[in-house]
Amino acid sequence: MSGAQNAPGAPAGSGADDRKRADARRNIEAIVEAATRLLAVDPDASVSEIAKVAGVGRVTLYGHFATRTTLLREVVDRAIDQTDRTLAGVDFDGAPREALGRLLEMSWQLTHRFGALVVAASGTLPPEEIRRAHDQPAERVRLLLERGRTDGSFRADMPIEWQISVIQAVLHGASAAVHRGEITADEAPELVRSTVLAALAG
Amino acid sequence: MSGAQNAPGAPAGSGADDRKRADARRNIEAIVEAATRLLAVDPDASVSEIAKVAGVGRVTLYGHFATRTTLLREVVDRAIDQTDRTLAGVDFDGAPREALGRLLEMSWQLTHRFGALVVAASGTLPPEEIRRAHDQPAERVRLLLERGRTDGSFRADMPIEWQISVIQAVLHGASAAVHRGEITADEAPELVRSTVLAALAG
């Protein structure tokens, strides 16, 4: 969270300073939140548009994030953190097909919220940082697929890498279909779940 | 094919003019072919790089295509033409699952050849032109899915729009997986076929 910390060693305790720091924190949160929402729908959203939606001036925004890339990196870092935390809360035990169903449900929410944002970042941030957004989730899916391929829950006649790609493709495809108005965000989780489970059925 | 025509009313018959025209046609073909190949792997390929691979000078290239956008439009137009002609040759009759298998095989080749190129164009050409690349193919798939949903070959408990999205997502996902080296281009068609048929099974 590069831009989000207070200056280390800043004097604490003065009321005016406390208020300033609280203001700064609120502004940073508003900027990151606005950037997350805007970039998810419009990958080319400008710093001015983000500042406007955040309700802060351009000067204030640049005071916290010196460049658009710095802001983008912060937004992606937080998206990855939230993704990791959310997926860590998913129950991976029990029948593999049901566990994958639960995982897909959460993954759909995260993909729909952050997917276009990661695409937005792909022109600006180095590929390694983009890959980080998928590595951890992919690792969890892999462990689950391995278990399900062993007990016959999932087909084992295709590479596991391919099955992970299919899951990611269907999740991103669903998000794009919602943006195009072909399906609703309410229908998406169940469509993703039943499509992926059918594609992977053992 | 905006840049590809001879000037209307140009005097015909002189040997020197014929040779010039033949040279121009050869250059145009080389430029479009080079642009198609380069842009499919590197969406940001420059006009200079394209000229180099085509074996022509920058001045010659700009003589035929005044801007990078003009060249990009020509490349996309030809990709769409070739897609339409190729898919028109697919046998859509007979059992829906087998017909879809044949269609997926051809679609895979086209997606892998032109998919990244359409992505490359998406920053430069208006969305309507990009949509054209998918409208005709999607229409053929729709007719086939409708027939297969009626006779029980394909499941009918999800929107047909969604099923078309899944097919496009798996095709593009396979192309990306080949580019990442996760599967080979040889494995891809069969993986696409069996995955999509399982996902849509009635």
Side-chain angles (χ1 to χ4, degrees):
Chain A
M1 311 218 168
S2 41
Q5 283 131 350
N6 293 321
S14 119
D17 281 355
D18 281 356
R19 265 194 305 279
K20 260 195 212 160
R21 273 197 294 275
D23 278 353
R25 267 198 302 274
R26 245 196 319 275
N27 284 341
I28 288 167
E29 290 309 314
I31 292 164
V32 171
E33 172 61 30
T36 304
R37 273 192 298 132
L38 272 182
L39 292 169
V41 242
D42 176 12
D44 298 319
S46 70
V47 167
S48 303
E49 289 169 300
I50 293 167
K52 201 172 156 193
V53 170
V56 304
R58 272 170 55 98
V59 174
T60 302
L61 188 150
Y62 279 117
H64 294 298
F65 302 99
T67 64
R68 190 172 183 277
T69 304
T70 313
L71 174 56
L72 208 54
R73 182 167 294 135
E74 174 71 15
V75 167
V76 169
D77 276 354
R78 290 202 187 193
I80 294 172
D81 281 354
Q82 191 181 328
T83 300
D84 287 348
R85 275 201 310 276
T86 306
L87 294 183
V90 173
D91 173 13
F92 276 77
D93 297 332
R97 288 177 63 83
E98 267 113 74
L100 184 59
R102 290 190 292 273
L103 179 61
L104 288 170
E105 169 86 23
M106 292 315 304
S107 300
W108 154 253
Q109 307 296 349
L110 294 162
T111 303
H112 192 47
R113 181 159 156 74
F114 297 134
L117 188 150
V118 172
V119 173
S122 68
T124 311
L125 301 185
E128 307 84 69
E129 294 197 41
I130 305 304
R131 213 165 299 129
R132 270 188 58 215
H134 287 114
D135 277 357
Q136 273 258 31
E139 215 29 58
R140 289 170 199 279
V141 172
R142 182 193 309 279
L143 291 173
L144 185 52
L145 290 183
E146 276 169 4
R147 189 155 66 84
R149 284 160 65 109
T150 309
D151 77 3
S153 302
F154 303 128
R155 59 195 291 182
D157 64 345
M158 24 176 80
I160 199 164
E161 289 294 342
W162 167 248
Q163 292 176 318
I164 296 170
S165 289
V166 167
I167 292 173
Q168 288 176 344
V170 172
L171 284 165
H172 284 277
S175 182
V178 170
H179 283 302
R180 286 193 303 263
E182 292 169 2
I183 59 172
T184 68
D186 286 348
E187 297 174 293
E190 175 53 23
L191 289 173
V192 167
R193 205 188 60 84
S194 67
T195 301
V196 168
L197 287 178
L200 267 53
Chain B
M1 311 223 165
S2 39
Q5 283 132 349
N6 293 320
S14 119
D17 281 355
D18 281 354
R19 265 194 305 278
K20 260 194 214 161
R21 274 196 294 275
D23 278 354
R25 267 198 303 274
R26 246 196 318 274
N27 285 341
I28 289 167
E29 289 310 313
I31 292 164
V32 170
E33 172 61 29
T36 303
R37 273 192 297 134
L38 274 182
L39 292 169
V41 247
D42 176 11
D44 299 318
S46 70
V47 167
S48 303
E49 290 170 300
I50 292 167
K52 200 172 158 193
V53 170
V56 304
R58 274 170 54 98
V59 174
T60 302
L61 189 151
Y62 279 117
H64 294 298
F65 302 98
T67 66
R68 190 172 184 277
T69 304
T70 312
L71 174 55
L72 208 53
R73 183 168 293 134
E74 175 71 17
V75 167
V76 169
D77 275 355
R78 290 200 187 196
I80 294 172
D81 281 354
Q82 191 182 330
T83 300
D84 287 349
R85 274 200 311 275
T86 306
L87 294 183
V90 174
D91 174 13
F92 276 75
D93 297 333
R97 287 177 63 84
E98 266 113 74
L100 184 60
R102 289 190 292 273
L103 179 60
L104 288 169
E105 168 87 21
M106 291 315 304
S107 300
W108 154 253
Q109 308 296 349
L110 295 162
T111 303
H112 192 48
R113 181 160 156 73
F114 297 133
L117 188 150
V118 172
V119 173
S122 67
T124 311
L125 301 185
E128 307 82 70
E129 294 198 40
I130 305 302
R131 211 165 301 128
R132 270 186 59 214
H134 286 115
D135 277 358
Q136 273 257 30
E139 213 31 54
R140 288 170 200 277
V141 172
R142 182 192 310 278
L143 291 174
L144 185 51
L145 290 183
E146 276 169 4
R147 189 156 66 84
R149 284 160 65 108
T150 309
D151 76 3
S153 302
F154 304 128
R155 59 196 293 181
D157 63 346
M158 24 177 79
I160 199 163
E161 289 293 343
W162 166 249
Q163 293 176 316
I164 296 170
S165 289
V166 168
I167 292 172
Q168 288 177 344
V170 172
L171 284 165
H172 284 278
S175 182
V178 170
H179 284 302
R180 285 193 304 263
E182 292 169 3
I183 60 172
T184 68
D186 285 348
E187 297 174 292
E190 176 53 23
L191 289 173
V192 166
R193 205 187 60 84
S194 67
T195 301
V196 168
L197 287 179
L200 268 54

